Amino acid sequence: MIFFVLILLLLIFSSAEFSKHNEFNKDYISRDGTNYIKGIFVILILYSHGKGYIALDKTYLDAPYTAMQNHIGQMVVALFLFYSGYGIMEQIKKRRFDYIKTIPAKRFPNLLLNFDIAVCFYLILWLALGKTLTLKQIVFSLTAWDGVGNSSWYIFMTFALYIITFISFALIKFVKNEKADIVFIIILSVLSGAMILAFHYTKIKDGFWYNTAFLYVLGFWYSYFKNIIEKVLMKNDMLYFSALAVILVAYIWAYLNKPKAFAIYEIWAALFTAITVMLTMKIKLGNNFLKWCGEHIFSIYILQRIPMIILTELGVAQRHKYIFLIVSYFITFAMAEIFDVATGKLSKLIWKPKKA
């Protein structure tokens, strides 16, 4: 796995531009700017899920990656949630209720449609492999509450957060003062927090289902206070690096103590997100492949296990673990491109923009 990590580092640093003294990357949280970062983490998800199908050893070939993956853990999805929340709040600031009403009208059903199309591929694969499926499994898999070989928890949590967002901002239609947006964000925070605590205390699902969900809400808060944050951090390098040093110290403390309490885990996740965002204020990436991966997060995430399952059934994972990974990745990328083109055309057919 060390070679895969080195390839990723090469992709990152081959195009990295470091800002000069007292200068900053103003593009750090734009759509294009965040796609590079999302590309890094979706590749790390590929590595993490691929690892589950093979046996890693404790030599220098695999041990460094295992240590890195154990440290990062669920933070591979942290920036997806944060950027999603940030992006939605930015759209709300621009379009107000016109955007909020698209959540039940298009955003939610479009995601559900694309997800169910992907799940159908897994159902076909499962049946082709002679697996028995109950009606309950099929129904739950189509709602992302369960899976049929696919990853589902992230999609289910996205559905839940979309619903909570719509409920929280529904009254924005009657509020013109943008300063009142903080009230809606507070409602979102309370409802999301209640959902997270309900999952946590009922133990209805494993911790990874919900322990990063609050980062979505953090994205809303960042959007609301972005101008103030940037005014402070981007004033000069002394303020920036001083703040970064303080956050790094807090991060180390939170990482060492996160097993002690769920609240500390949440603080650690927020600090991980903050450090990553701050680093992008100084470092600008430009690798086209990372950008492409960042633009195809959903399809890569949802389809990656199909080639992994097939190659495992063929015995490739057991005999040639690195060939298994390489072939799985290439097939996933090809499937993701085809899937996004096809579902994009389908989406345009269903949700045609209205003529002015």
Side-chain angles (χ1 to χ4, degrees):
M1 291 299 295
I2 188 64
F3 298 110
F4 294 99
V5 175
L6 291 174
I7 290 171
L8 179 57
L9 290 174
L10 181 63
L11 291 173
I12 295 170
F13 290 105
S14 63
S15 62
E17 296 180 15
F18 296 84
S19 300
K20 296 178 182 179
H21 179 64
N22 285 338
E23 292 183 3
F24 297 87
N25 171 27
K26 302 294 184 179
D27 197 42
Y28 77 102
I29 204 161
S30 68
R31 180 183 293 273
D32 284 342
T34 58
N35 276 336
Y36 296 111
I37 307 304
K38 289 187 284 188
I40 294 171
F41 285 100
V42 80
I43 290 174
L44 287 175
I45 289 175
L46 276 173
Y47 290 176
S48 177
H49 288 173
K51 185 194 75 169
Y53 294 87
I54 61 177
L56 298 184
D57 55 44
K58 296 182 180 181
T59 68
Y60 70 94
L61 292 175
D62 292 332
Y65 168 75
T66 301
M68 180 189 74
Q69 201 269 335
N70 288 340
H71 178 90
I72 296 176
Q74 278 298 99
M75 294 307 102
V76 289
V77 301
L79 273 297
F80 302 151
L81 290 159
F82 175 80
Y83 288 148
S84 179
Y86 169 82
I88 289 175
M89 187 60 209
E90 287 293 296
Q91 289 297 317
I92 291 172
K93 285 156 66 174
K94 293 175 184 176
R95 298 168 58 190
R96 313 304 290 168
F97 187 73
D98 283 343
Y99 181 78
I100 289 298
K101 67 184 182 182
T102 67
I103 294 177
K106 179 182 178 181
R107 197 174 182 95
F108 184 102
N110 188 51
L111 177 61
L112 179 61
L113 174 64
N114 292 345
F115 174 73
D116 285 347
I117 291 172
V119 169
C120 286
F121 294 150
Y122 282 93
L123 292 172
I124 293 169
L125 174 60
W126 226 236
L127 293 173
L129 294 174
K131 307 290 185 180
T132 302
L133 295 170
T134 65
L135 180 61
K136 181 180 177 181
Q137 281 179 294
I138 295 172
V139 172
F140 279 4
S141 67
L142 292 172
T143 61
W145 185 250
D146 202 351
V148 282
N150 60 294
S151 300
S152 62
W153 73 266
Y154 182 84
I155 305 301
F156 178 86
M157 197 53 60
T158 302
F159 289 153
L161 291 169
Y162 279 174
I163 294 170
I164 291 173
T165 301
F166 178 75
I167 294 171
S168 301
F169 284 85
L171 294 178
I172 202 172
K173 181 179 182 179
F174 308 103
V175 180
K176 303 300 181 183
N177 189 348
E178 294 184 8
K179 291 183 179 179
D181 287 354
I182 194 169
V183 175
F184 301 121
I185 300 176
I186 291 171
I187 295 171
L188 175 72
S189 303
V190 171
L191 293 180
S192 299
M195 177 191 68
I196 293 166
L197 290 175
F199 271 93
H200 179 65
Y201 286 110
T202 61
K203 306 295 182 184
I204 195 170
K205 291 291 185 180
D206 292 329
F208 64 82
W209 272 69
Y210 57 85
N211 59 17
T212 53
F214 205 74
L215 297 175
Y216 172 85
V217 180
L218 187 64
F220 279 77
W221 284 109
Y222 189 85
S223 173
Y224 189 82
F225 290 109
K226 182 183 72 168
N227 292 338
I228 297 173
I229 294 170
E230 288 182 351
K231 188 175 181 180
V232 173
L233 294 180
M234 294 185 175
K235 187 173 184 179
N236 55 56
D237 278 357
M238 180 173 289
L239 280 172
Y240 169 84
F241 284 110
S242 296
L244 183 60
V246 171
I247 293 175
L248 281 170
V249 171
Y251 175 85
I252 294 170
W253 171 84
Y255 176 78
L256 295 175
N257 290 278
K258 64 185 174 73
K260 296 180 180 179
F262 180 64
I264 297 178
Y265 184 97
E266 296 294 282
I267 293 170
W268 172 66
L271 291 170
F272 178 91
T273 304
I275 290 171
T276 306
V277 171
M278 286 190 69
L279 289 176
T280 62
M281 290 179 178
K282 271 292 186 180
I283 305 171
K284 184 176 182 177
L285 303 182
N287 183 274
N288 288 330
F289 180 68
L290 290 179
K291 183 180 178 182
W292 181 89
C293 289
E295 292 169 344
H296 294 77
I297 292 172
F298 173 80
S299 51
I300 291 174
Y301 172 80
I302 202 64
L303 297 173
Q304 62 183 302
R305 292 189 184 273
I306 292 177
M308 292 177 182
I309 292 170
I310 293 173
L311 292 173
T312 299
E313 290 291 324
L314 293 173
V316 179
Q318 297 86 338
R319 296 194 302 268
H320 310 287
K321 63 181 181 180
Y322 297 123
I323 293 176
F324 161 79
L325 292 175
I326 293 169
V327 175
S328 295
Y329 299 156
F330 274 102
I331 294 175
T332 299
F333 296 142
M335 291 176 67
E337 179 66 30
I338 296 169
F339 183 88
D340 282 345
V341 170
T343 55
K345 290 181 178 179
L346 180 60
S347 178
K348 287 180 180 178
L349 280 174
I350 299 173
W351 292 281
K352 284 184 178 179
K354 294 181 180 179
K355 292 182 179 180

